Amino acid sequence: MVSYQFPSGFQWGAATAAYQIEGAIAADGRRPSVWDTFSETPGRVLNGDTGAIACDHYHCYDDDVKRMVDLGIRHYRFSIAWPRIIPEGRGAVNEAGIDFYRRLVDCLRDHGITPHATLFHWDSPQALEDAYGSWRDRQMAYDFADYVTAVVQRLGDRITHWMTLNEIACFTHLGYGVNQVPPHAPGTVVSQPKDVWQTSHHALLAHGLGCQAIRAASPQPCSIALVDNFFVPVPISETPEHIAACQKAFSRLHSNGGIIQPALTGQYSPALLEQLGDQAPDIQAGDLAIIHQPIDALGINIYSGMYVRAADTDQGYDVLDFPSGYPRMHMPWLQVIPDALYWSIRHISDTLDRPDLQLFISENGCAAQDQVTDQGEVIDSDRILYLREHLRAAHRAVQEGYPLTGYFVWSLLDNFEWAWGYDRRFGIIYVDYASQTRIPKASYYWYADCISQNRVV
Ligand code: IFM
């Protein structure tokens, strides 16, 4: 029988993001982010929800840290809100905004929890959208680097694990759709695919300049990661021909060849550039070297994947549609493919030929239709099933020698799920938003057992 035991030192954690949990949008000098503006625009977010209060974590962080302690995690991933630190996006630093993160980080460290800070999780300052269209302009990358310098100079004495940007494709390709009302902020519709690719190119530059800024400002050795949610081709069956088909498909799937590939290899996929033709982004001399910074680790956000098989087509593979009855969690895109976690790791190590790069799962989790029982419990056995199978896939990767060092469940708390507002619950702790009561779900207790036994239970 397999015991699913992880090696000692495997990092068990939980993840959140600032706009999704903090609330307190006008506290201590914070100014609006594009998500404040977007969510306040009628019709953009389900039920008109906004992040104005969210989980009120800004005020309840010490209680939330106590729940982390009870859970047994030693690692916590959170994000820092740019509009708290530099409220106008560029210029003056708001020390009161820094102080919040100082308090949070000190509380974590006092309890033996290592802080892992993401510097950008989508909540860009509205002022920069107003000034120059945020990610549409190259200036955004330079302003991001200045913001990073301000944060790392002030918090680098107590934070050593940094992540630059979360999920570039989401805040660029979903945020700047061509001829469609996009579901992510800032809700800008652009006219050409080239404009969309230009936004992700600027975000890649921000990542590279951000890495340089962290290295320059950190007062101590630190670890720098990018966090991405690239598309994961999964072989319909694990035979050499289907595996080879997945490897061929990897660079051509959606934005993979233009985001994770340049970040990790220093080159856009030639096949993608050919396919884009005159819609490819403008790439200035020296950009690729900036983008391809040495990093210490890659954070992989993994929720689902896509099945691929070898085929006698020009490209040599088929991407398969899901049958209508395929198992899915409580989101339209959340088909359950636990093997995608294992294959996400293999694609970085093998397909992109980066076996040297340490990997961690920076997010994995699912929305479920949680209900509070008459006894006041939330029995989310469906989430446990989802998480258990993904952790087994993580264990397989570790067993086979792939450099997977940790796992952060998404999410610690139910939270503001972007365009879905509070309607979709991803937490292992239930949040009653009206009373701000927290109820640890069955998955919380199950995850606590995994952590205490260092294995999948
Ligand atoms: O809630 C999001 C998170 O902000 C980014 N990754 C995916 C999660 C679930 O949709």
Side-chain angles (χ1 to χ4, degrees):
M1 199 179 108
V2 188
S3 68
Y4 295 105
Q5 194 75 44
F6 280 87
S8 66
F10 187 76
Q11 301 186 345
W12 298 92
T16 63
Y19 190 70
Q20 296 182 270
I21 64 165
E22 285 177 1
I25 54 170
D28 301 327
R30 181 189 181 277
R31 298 279 297 142
S33 73
V34 293
W35 268 97
D36 294 287
T37 310
F38 186 79
S39 60
E40 282 160 14
T41 306
R44 291 295 201 231
V45 173
L46 193 61
N47 302 321
D49 290 340
T50 75
I53 299 174
C55 308
D56 200 25
H57 175 75
Y58 192 84
H59 298 114
C60 305
Y61 71 88
D62 48 353
D63 276 351
D64 289 335
V65 171
K66 284 191 193 106
R67 291 188 174 85
M68 296 180 210
V69 173
D70 293 344
L71 178 59
I73 54 172
R74 290 298 183 88
H75 299 270
Y76 174 55
R77 172 179 179 232
F78 62 100
S79 79
I80 294 178
W82 186 347
R84 286 198 195 284
I85 308 302
I86 305 189
E88 298 304 331
R90 53 204 311 200
V93 175
N94 173 36
E95 299 297 339
I98 293 280
D99 285 344
F100 166 65
Y101 296 105
R102 206 174 267 133
R103 290 195 295 278
L104 170 64
V105 166
D106 286 352
C107 184
L108 290 165
R109 285 160 49 102
D110 287 349
H111 288 93
I113 298 173
T114 302
H116 296 244
T118 309
L119 288 151
F120 182 76
H121 199 122
W122 305 357
D123 45 356
S124 48
Q126 179 64 35
L128 298 184
E129 178 65 18
D130 299 340
Y132 53 67
S134 45
W135 295 106
R136 281 174 284 165
D137 197 300
R138 200 176 162 88
Q139 181 60 39
M140 187 73 165
Y142 295 94
D143 286 339
F144 174 74
D146 288 347
Y147 148 71
V148 169
T149 298
V151 172
V152 178
Q153 278 175 344
R154 290 164 174 80
L155 297 174
D157 58 344
R158 51 196 83 198
I159 300 177
T160 53
H161 290 73
W162 299 102
M163 286 156 277
T164 53
L165 306 166
N166 184 72
E167 299 180 350
I168 288 177
C170 286
F171 65 84
T172 56
H173 289 228
L174 294 180
Y176 299 85
V178 177
N179 298 327
Q180 57 170 5
V181 177
H184 283 76
T188 308
V189 176
V190 297
S191 58
Q192 300 288 334
K194 181 184 178 79
D195 300 331
V196 177
W197 282 102
Q198 203 64 56
T199 63
S200 52
H201 185 71
H202 294 153
L204 284 168
L205 266 184
H207 160 69
L209 294 169
C211 291
Q212 292 175 343
I214 298 168
R215 298 248 188 256
S218 178
Q220 54 180 326
C222 62
S223 165
I224 303 179
L226 172 68
V227 172
D228 198 37
N229 62 334
F230 51 87
F231 290 84
V232 180
V234 176
I236 185 72
S237 96
E238 289 192 9
T239 61
E241 52 164 347
H242 295 307
I243 292 172
C246 283
Q247 292 181 324
K248 266 187 221 148
F250 183 82
S251 293
R252 293 173 182 258
L253 279 186
H254 298 271
S255 50
N256 286 1
I259 295 182
I260 193 65
Q261 187 157 339
L264 296 190
T265 69
Q267 298 296 329
Y268 277 69
S269 146
L272 175 76
L273 290 180
E274 189 186 326
Q275 182 194 318
L276 289 176
D278 64 1
Q279 294 300 317
D282 293 329
I283 302 172
Q284 296 187 10
D287 281 2
L288 290 166
I290 293 173
I291 289 167
H292 183 39
Q293 287 300 301
I295 52 176
D296 303 289
L298 176 75
I300 300 174
N301 291 356
I302 187 83
Y303 291 89
S304 191
M306 42 227 312
Y307 288 114
V308 164
R309 71 173 174 199
D312 194 9
T313 58
D314 286 351
Q315 13 185 52
Y317 63 86
D318 272 342
V319 178
L320 303 172
D321 291 336
F322 290 104
S324 53
Y326 193 89
R328 184 161 60 79
M329 300 304 289
H330 197 211
M331 286 299 252
W333 47 266
L334 230 173
Q335 283 86 10
V336 181
I337 313 183
D339 289 336
L341 189 154
Y342 167 79
W343 282 100
S344 71
I345 290 163
R346 280 197 54 171
H347 284 308
I348 299 303
S349 288
D350 300 345
T351 312
L352 288 186
D353 196 21
R354 288 296 310 266
D356 55 304
L357 190 58
Q358 286 207 352
L359 306 172
F360 60 100
I361 301 301
S362 33
E363 289 180 23
N364 174 237
C366 61
Q369 298 178 54
D370 303 319
Q371 300 288 334
V372 182
T373 65
D374 292 345
Q375 289 73 38
E377 295 180 293
V378 179
I379 310 294
D380 55 341
S381 42
D382 46 358
R383 180 174 288 104
I384 293 175
L385 180 143
Y386 175 98
L387 294 174
R388 181 188 285 125
E389 292 308 316
H390 282 79
L391 273 171
R392 286 179 172 167
H395 180 264
R396 177 182 172 196
V398 172
Q399 279 296 104
E400 292 183 11
Y402 287 97
L404 178 67
T405 57
Y407 175 93
F408 292 77
V409 71
W410 183 271
S411 178
L412 180 74
L413 302 167
D414 289 339
N415 60 55
F416 177 80
E417 177 54 26
W418 309 113
W420 294 87
Y422 299 103
D423 192 68
R424 300 298 151 111
R425 295 178 176 273
F426 275 82
I428 58 171
I429 297 177
Y430 185 93
V431 177
D432 177 273
Y433 294 103
S435 64
Q436 287 298 339
T437 305
R438 274 58 163 154
I439 304 173
K441 303 178 192 178
S443 57
Y444 171 101
Y445 297 109
W446 166 83
Y447 191 47
D449 286 340
C450 292
I451 296 168
S452 68
Q453 297 183 35
N454 197 33
R455 68 184 188 90
V456 192
V457 295

